[in-house]
Amino acid sequence: MIYPSFDTLVEKVRDGAARRKVVAVVAAEDDHTLEAVAQARRDGILDACLIGRADKIRTLLAGLGEAAEDFRIVDAEDPVAAAKRAAELVRERTVDFVMKGKVQTADLLRAMLSSESGMRTGRLLSHFALVQIPNYHKLIGLTDVAINIAPDLAQKKEIVENAVATMRAIGFEPPKVALLSSAETVNPKMPETAEAAALTELNRGGWLPGCHVDGPISYDLAISAESARIKGYDSPLPGDVDLLVVPHISVGNILLKALRYSAGAASAGIVVGGRVPIVLTSRAVEAQDKFLPLVIAASVSGD
Amino acid sequence: MIYPSFDTLVEKVRDGAARRKVVAVVAAEDDHTLEAVAQARRDGILDACLIGRADKIRTLLAGLGEAAEDFRIVDAEDPVAAAKRAAELVRERTVDFVMKGKVQTADLLRAMLSSESGMRTGRLLSHFALVQIPNYHKLIGLTDVAINIAPDLAQKKEIVENAVATMRAIGFEPPKVALLSSAETVNPKMPETAEAAALTELNRGGWLPGCHVDGPISYDLAISAESARIKGYDSPLPGDVDLLVVPHISVGNILLKALRYSAGAASAGIVVGGRVPIVLTSRAVEAQDKFLPLVIAASVSGD
């Protein structure tokens, strides 16, 4: 399936799911978070379980013109207690994914990764973003721009596995994966090129069936069929890539910001690799920036 | 001085120089190279010394409708001999910069860096690009996206020195320099952040007077005043940066390609750090892509 834009993904999640997904919002007493969650509920995308100081949450909902009875509200005295409660709900399988509210990321992740939580899968947690680039014909995945700083080969393998599983859950099938580097050849002075070649070779051996993996490959070859034609690069990937895998976090962060601030792209990311996705947007961002990650998380979590 | 676009740089080089600069083209028997050089000559940007097989060069010039007497032609039997001859011309100071024609990059650089050449300065050679991003108000420098793979702190210092000297020669005065990373804080797990902080500190101590250096800094803070305002980042740099310094080549290569292929940017680069600049464009590119680096090299080389 191809998503030309985030709008088509929103439609698919709203109209396509067998049932509405439920998000557990940790320390929900936060204006922008509640606003995004309320909009997603009104749009038919999800139901929400709001965890935190119930009185405060009710007051904020009233201020937003929302009816408290449209939400499940779970009282928790502080952010750490709220995170613990969310971990229990994940274990009980009464929620489909988790969103960070007014809680420190470290406190949230500690609760999620505790042995009492139902979150642990033994897999690496990694960051997965979807990006809408104005001059590209479909949404494109990007990983890992936010969690793993300088992953080694084994970690890169898990990052790709996490992202491919996520893309399949969203409906990209089969995903075409580019392992980005600055060139197409292995350069012994650039370990990332050797790692990319190793992952491509692994895939030829059947690592991720039904999935095209190519690399090392440069950004222009991944994104532009014309560029690949000029350079005589033969692959189904150029101009039709679904997932860009960056060699390390600084490449990913700077690439994503260049796309957002210089190419007019929109983007939204989630944390994957746990049993359910986690929405970890910054507390500083507006409600609008918290909405799209909710849509992605809802589209990823299984029926 | 601000250059809103490459056109304004072309005008400045054409109208502002005390005398026309002279390029030495190494193995000039190449169609696209001759086309670019001939256009730059006709535009009043430079004069050219074409080194290579004189008969072949004359035939190609005739095919382009150019008069052979408009150029100095220096006969050389093969590309290696042409490169040696260019190195001699640099030593004699009869040419202002060098351009690669139909010669291997390694052969050209070997001749340039030989002890008989006048090219060596004891400095690191590095790559410097100018980029025209449609939604940014001026040309912006970018270094090093093509030569030094993973520079250490001492090499980064030289890369910045080379680029700042180049920008000043072009007319950016004083340049505002961003040492790009994925965040604004030093992270012990990311050596590039510590290196950026060290260079910023060096500059506070007077390293490059009349030059603002800031880092580590993220791409959005460097390029967007609005983003800096939201994050409370106080510096003269956000939204008005002149030079982006990337932590390693893969960041630079992928950033530049994202700007070109996804943000509609144009770019052109030269090699700096030698006594004269070197234009090293790929043999595959069209004449148009060989023209702008000639303009940049002509603007950089001293009167």
Side-chain angles (χ1 to χ4, degrees), chain B residues 119-148:
Chain B
M119 179 61 91
R120 289 163 75 121
T121 57
R123 302 189 58 76
L124 187 73
L125 289 188
S126 57
H127 190 268
F128 169 81
L130 272 182
V131 190
Q132 176 180 306
I133 306 172
N135 73 351
Y136 196 63
H137 60 292
K138 58 180 171 182
L139 295 182
I140 191 167
L142 179 58
T143 194
D144 172 345
V145 306
I147 294 187
N148 296 286

Short mmCIF file of all heavy atoms in Angstrom, two decimals, chain B residues 119-148:
data_model
loop_
_atom_site.label_atom_id
_atom_site.label_comp_id
_atom_site.label_asym_id
_atom_site.label_seq_id
_atom_site.Cartn_x
_atom_site.Cartn_y
_atom_site.Cartn_z
N MET B 119 51.86 24.02 -4.96
CA MET B 119 50.55 23.91 -4.34
C MET B 119 50.61 23.76 -2.82
O MET B 119 49.73 24.21 -2.10
CB MET B 119 49.84 22.67 -4.93
CG MET B 119 48.49 22.39 -4.38
SD MET B 119 47.35 23.75 -4.67
CE MET B 119 46.66 23.27 -6.23
N ARG B 120 51.68 23.11 -2.34
CA ARG B 120 51.70 22.73 -0.92
C ARG B 120 51.83 23.93 0.00
O ARG B 120 52.64 24.83 -0.22
CB ARG B 120 52.86 21.76 -0.68
CG ARG B 120 52.60 20.41 -1.29
CD ARG B 120 53.87 19.62 -1.42
NE ARG B 120 54.29 19.11 -0.14
CZ ARG B 120 54.46 17.81 0.12
NH1 ARG B 120 54.26 16.92 -0.83
NH2 ARG B 120 54.84 17.42 1.30
N THR B 121 51.04 23.91 1.04
CA THR B 121 51.09 25.00 2.02
C THR B 121 51.32 24.42 3.41
O THR B 121 51.44 25.16 4.38
CB THR B 121 49.74 25.74 2.06
OG1 THR B 121 48.71 24.78 2.37
CG2 THR B 121 49.41 26.40 0.74
N GLY B 122 51.34 23.09 3.51
CA GLY B 122 51.44 22.45 4.82
C GLY B 122 50.07 22.31 5.48
O GLY B 122 49.94 21.76 6.56
N ARG B 123 49.03 22.82 4.80
CA ARG B 123 47.70 22.73 5.37
C ARG B 123 46.99 21.48 4.86
O ARG B 123 47.35 20.92 3.83
CB ARG B 123 46.87 23.95 4.97
CG ARG B 123 47.49 25.28 5.41
CD ARG B 123 46.51 26.40 5.16
NE ARG B 123 45.27 26.17 5.88
CZ ARG B 123 45.15 26.35 7.18
NH1 ARG B 123 46.16 26.77 7.90
NH2 ARG B 123 44.00 26.10 7.77
N LEU B 124 45.94 21.11 5.60
CA LEU B 124 45.07 20.02 5.18
C LEU B 124 44.29 20.46 3.95
O LEU B 124 43.81 21.59 3.90
CB LEU B 124 44.10 19.75 6.34
CG LEU B 124 43.16 18.56 6.27
CD1 LEU B 124 43.94 17.27 6.50
CD2 LEU B 124 42.07 18.70 7.34
N LEU B 125 44.15 19.59 2.97
CA LEU B 125 43.21 19.88 1.88
C LEU B 125 41.81 19.50 2.36
O LEU B 125 41.62 18.48 3.02
CB LEU B 125 43.54 19.07 0.62
CG LEU B 125 44.80 19.45 -0.17
CD1 LEU B 125 44.85 18.66 -1.47
CD2 LEU B 125 44.86 20.95 -0.45
N SER B 126 40.82 20.34 2.06
CA SER B 126 39.45 20.00 2.45
C SER B 126 38.48 20.47 1.37
O SER B 126 38.85 21.23 0.47
CB SER B 126 39.11 20.63 3.81
OG SER B 126 39.29 22.02 3.78
N HIS B 127 37.27 20.00 1.46
CA HIS B 127 36.25 20.34 0.47
C HIS B 127 35.36 21.44 1.02
O HIS B 127 34.99 21.43 2.18
CB HIS B 127 35.42 19.10 0.13
CG HIS B 127 34.50 19.30 -1.04
ND1 HIS B 127 33.20 19.73 -0.90
CD2 HIS B 127 34.71 19.13 -2.37
CE1 HIS B 127 32.66 19.81 -2.11
NE2 HIS B 127 33.53 19.44 -3.01
N PHE B 128 35.05 22.38 0.16
CA PHE B 128 34.17 23.49 0.54
C PHE B 128 33.11 23.64 -0.54
O PHE B 128 33.43 23.75 -1.72
CB PHE B 128 34.98 24.79 0.66
CG PHE B 128 34.12 26.00 0.78
CD1 PHE B 128 33.57 26.35 2.02
CD2 PHE B 128 33.81 26.78 -0.33
CE1 PHE B 128 32.75 27.47 2.13
CE2 PHE B 128 32.99 27.90 -0.21
CZ PHE B 128 32.46 28.25 1.02
N ALA B 129 31.84 23.63 -0.13
CA ALA B 129 30.75 23.79 -1.09
C ALA B 129 29.94 25.04 -0.75
O ALA B 129 29.85 25.44 0.41
CB ALA B 129 29.84 22.57 -1.07
N LEU B 130 29.39 25.66 -1.78
CA LEU B 130 28.38 26.70 -1.57
C LEU B 130 27.05 26.10 -2.00
O LEU B 130 26.97 25.39 -3.00
CB LEU B 130 28.68 27.95 -2.40
CG LEU B 130 29.58 29.01 -1.78
CD1 LEU B 130 29.72 30.19 -2.73
CD2 LEU B 130 29.04 29.49 -0.43
N VAL B 131 26.00 26.42 -1.23
CA VAL B 131 24.68 25.84 -1.50
C VAL B 131 23.65 26.95 -1.57
O VAL B 131 23.67 27.88 -0.76
CB VAL B 131 24.28 24.84 -0.38
CG1 VAL B 131 23.03 24.07 -0.77
CG2 VAL B 131 25.42 23.87 -0.08
N GLN B 132 22.76 26.84 -2.56
CA GLN B 132 21.65 27.78 -2.70
C GLN B 132 20.37 27.02 -2.37
O GLN B 132 19.92 26.19 -3.15
CB GLN B 132 21.62 28.32 -4.13
CG GLN B 132 20.47 29.23 -4.47
CD GLN B 132 20.56 29.71 -5.93
OE1 GLN B 132 21.57 30.25 -6.35
NE2 GLN B 132 19.53 29.47 -6.69
N ILE B 133 19.83 27.28 -1.17
CA ILE B 133 18.62 26.59 -0.71
C ILE B 133 17.43 27.51 -0.97
O ILE B 133 17.43 28.66 -0.53
CB ILE B 133 18.71 26.28 0.80
CG1 ILE B 133 20.00 25.52 1.13
CG2 ILE B 133 17.48 25.51 1.27
CD1 ILE B 133 20.26 25.35 2.63
N PRO B 134 16.40 27.03 -1.69
CA PRO B 134 15.30 27.93 -2.08
C PRO B 134 14.68 28.72 -0.93
O PRO B 134 14.38 29.89 -1.11
CB PRO B 134 14.28 26.98 -2.72
CG PRO B 134 15.13 25.88 -3.29
CD PRO B 134 16.26 25.70 -2.30
N ASN B 135 14.49 28.13 0.25
CA ASN B 135 13.84 28.90 1.31
C ASN B 135 14.81 29.56 2.30
O ASN B 135 14.40 29.97 3.39
CB ASN B 135 12.78 28.06 2.05
CG ASN B 135 13.40 27.01 2.96
OD1 ASN B 135 14.61 26.81 2.92
ND2 ASN B 135 12.59 26.36 3.76
N TYR B 136 16.07 29.67 1.93
CA TYR B 136 17.05 30.40 2.76
C TYR B 136 17.44 31.66 2.01
O TYR B 136 17.52 31.67 0.78
CB TYR B 136 18.26 29.51 3.06
CG TYR B 136 19.12 30.00 4.20
CD1 TYR B 136 18.61 30.09 5.49
CD2 TYR B 136 20.44 30.38 3.97
CE1 TYR B 136 19.40 30.56 6.53
CE2 TYR B 136 21.25 30.84 5.02
CZ TYR B 136 20.72 30.93 6.30
OH TYR B 136 21.50 31.38 7.33
N HIS B 137 17.73 32.75 2.75
CA HIS B 137 17.84 34.05 2.09
C HIS B 137 19.20 34.34 1.46
O HIS B 137 19.40 35.39 0.87
CB HIS B 137 17.51 35.15 3.09
CG HIS B 137 18.43 35.17 4.29
ND1 HIS B 137 18.42 34.16 5.23
CD2 HIS B 137 19.40 36.03 4.66
CE1 HIS B 137 19.33 34.42 6.16
NE2 HIS B 137 19.93 35.55 5.84
N LYS B 138 20.15 33.42 1.63
CA LYS B 138 21.47 33.67 1.03
C LYS B 138 22.19 32.35 0.77
O LYS B 138 21.82 31.32 1.32
CB LYS B 138 22.30 34.56 1.97
CG LYS B 138 22.52 33.97 3.36
CD LYS B 138 23.34 34.90 4.25
CE LYS B 138 23.36 34.41 5.70
NZ LYS B 138 24.11 35.29 6.60
N LEU B 139 23.24 32.43 -0.04
CA LEU B 139 24.09 31.26 -0.22
C LEU B 139 24.68 30.87 1.12
O LEU B 139 24.94 31.73 1.98
CB LEU B 139 25.23 31.57 -1.21
CG LEU B 139 24.85 31.89 -2.65
CD1 LEU B 139 26.12 32.13 -3.48
CD2 LEU B 139 24.03 30.77 -3.27
N ILE B 140 24.91 29.59 1.31
CA ILE B 140 25.44 29.10 2.58
C ILE B 140 26.59 28.14 2.29
O ILE B 140 26.54 27.37 1.32
CB ILE B 140 24.30 28.44 3.40
CG1 ILE B 140 24.72 28.16 4.83
CG2 ILE B 140 23.79 27.16 2.75
CD1 ILE B 140 23.53 27.82 5.73
N GLY B 141 27.65 28.22 3.09
CA GLY B 141 28.80 27.32 2.91
C GLY B 141 28.57 25.99 3.63
O GLY B 141 27.81 25.92 4.61
N LEU B 142 29.22 24.94 3.14
CA LEU B 142 29.09 23.61 3.75
C LEU B 142 30.43 22.90 3.62
O LEU B 142 31.02 22.85 2.55
CB LEU B 142 27.99 22.84 3.02
CG LEU B 142 27.68 21.41 3.46
CD1 LEU B 142 27.28 21.36 4.93
CD2 LEU B 142 26.56 20.82 2.61
N THR B 143 30.93 22.36 4.75
CA THR B 143 32.22 21.69 4.73
C THR B 143 32.27 20.63 5.82
O THR B 143 31.59 20.78 6.84
CB THR B 143 33.37 22.72 4.91
OG1 THR B 143 34.61 22.12 4.57
CG2 THR B 143 33.44 23.24 6.34
N ASP B 144 32.96 19.51 5.64
CA ASP B 144 33.63 18.98 4.48
C ASP B 144 32.81 17.77 4.07
O ASP B 144 32.73 16.82 4.84
CB ASP B 144 35.06 18.61 4.87
CG ASP B 144 35.82 17.85 3.80
OD1 ASP B 144 35.22 17.34 2.85
OD2 ASP B 144 37.05 17.75 3.93
N VAL B 145 32.24 17.80 2.88
CA VAL B 145 31.33 16.72 2.47
C VAL B 145 32.00 15.73 1.52
O VAL B 145 31.34 14.82 1.04
CB VAL B 145 30.07 17.29 1.77
CG1 VAL B 145 29.40 18.33 2.66
CG2 VAL B 145 30.41 17.90 0.42
N ALA B 146 33.30 15.88 1.25
CA ALA B 146 33.85 15.04 0.18
C ALA B 146 35.28 14.55 0.35
O ALA B 146 35.68 13.64 -0.35
CB ALA B 146 33.75 15.80 -1.15
N ILE B 147 36.06 15.12 1.24
CA ILE B 147 37.47 14.68 1.31
C ILE B 147 37.81 13.99 2.63
O ILE B 147 38.21 12.84 2.64
CB ILE B 147 38.43 15.86 1.05
CG1 ILE B 147 38.25 16.35 -0.41
CG2 ILE B 147 39.88 15.43 1.30
CD1 ILE B 147 39.25 17.39 -0.83
N ASN B 148 37.69 14.69 3.74
CA ASN B 148 38.10 14.12 5.03
C ASN B 148 36.94 13.31 5.64
O ASN B 148 35.89 13.84 5.95
CB ASN B 148 38.53 15.25 5.96
CG ASN B 148 39.75 15.97 5.44
OD1 ASN B 148 40.85 15.45 5.49
ND2 ASN B 148 39.55 17.17 4.90
#
